[in-house]
Amino acid sequence: MRRTGDTLQLSATDLSKFLSCRHLTALDMAVARGELIRPRRRDDPLMELLIEKGQAHERSYVDQLASRGVTVVDLNEVPFDAQDERIARTLDAMRSGADVIVQAALANARWHGYADILQRVASPSDLGGWSYEVADTKLARKTRSGTILQLSLYSELLATVQGLVPEYFHVVTPDPVTPVQTYRVDDFAAYFRLVRKRLLDTVEQGHH
C-alpha cells in the first residue's frame, strides 16, 4: 500500500493482509498517510533463509522451462523501485511473444503487483495469436486463500493488457509428484471480487 497523490495504490499483498487481519490494513493505511512510521525490520535469519529458498525454488522452475528451449525474459535485473521501467519491459516482452517472462510487473490506476512468471499459451488475444497465464512459485505444498487472491488479481491486471481473461492460473509447489497446481480463473472470480470490494470499502471509509 502506498500513497500516490490522493489515491492509495494497493497490491496483492494488501489483499492477503486484509483477509488475514484487518488491523494490519488499518496500520498500513496509517503508514501510507504518514501518521505512523513502519517499524524497522530486524534481522531475522529464518526469514532470510525462507526468502533464499523461495528464490531458489523460482530459479529451479525457470531453469526447467528454459531447458525446453523456450525464450525467457528475466526482469529480475530491473530494480523493484523502477516500477515504470519494469512495466514497460513487461509489455515489450508480451508484445514480442516471449514464452516465459520472469517477475513481470502489472498495474492499473489502483492496483499493482509482480507476477513470478507469465507463461505464453496458444489463446489469441490483442497481442496476437497468443496470450499469457500467471504462475507463482510457492514453498507451501497446499495452496492458501491468499495465493488464490493474489493470482486472481494478477489475472485481472493481465486481462487489461492482453484484452483476454486468462483461463487458468498456476501454483508451482515443491511437490515432487505433482508440482504444478492449476486453477480456473472463473472458479474464484466471485470470491476475489467480494474480498476486493470489502478492502476497497475499508480503504474508502478510512482514507481521509
Side-chain angles (χ1 to χ4, degrees), residues 132-168:
Y132 290 88
E133 293 178 350
V134 182
D136 205 66
T137 55
K138 296 294 185 185
L139 292 176
R141 296 195 180 190
K142 291 186 178 180
T143 300
R144 299 168 181 168
S145 54
T147 297
I148 294 294
L149 290 173
Q150 175 185 2
L151 296 182
S152 295
L153 174 62
Y154 294 162
S155 295
E156 181 179 81
L157 293 174
L158 186 56
T160 63
V161 176
Q162 63 187 18
L164 177 73
V165 177
E167 186 172 3
Y168 301 102

Side-chain angles (χ1 to χ4, degrees), residues 84 102 167:
D84 290 344
V102 182
E167 186 172 3

Side-chain angles (χ1 to χ4, degrees), residues 86-104:
R86 192 179 283 244
I87 290 172
R89 294 273 296 274
T90 298
L91 293 176
D92 287 345
M94 291 176 65
R95 289 166 180 159
S96 71
D99 294 303
V100 175
I101 306 170
V102 182
Q103 288 299 316

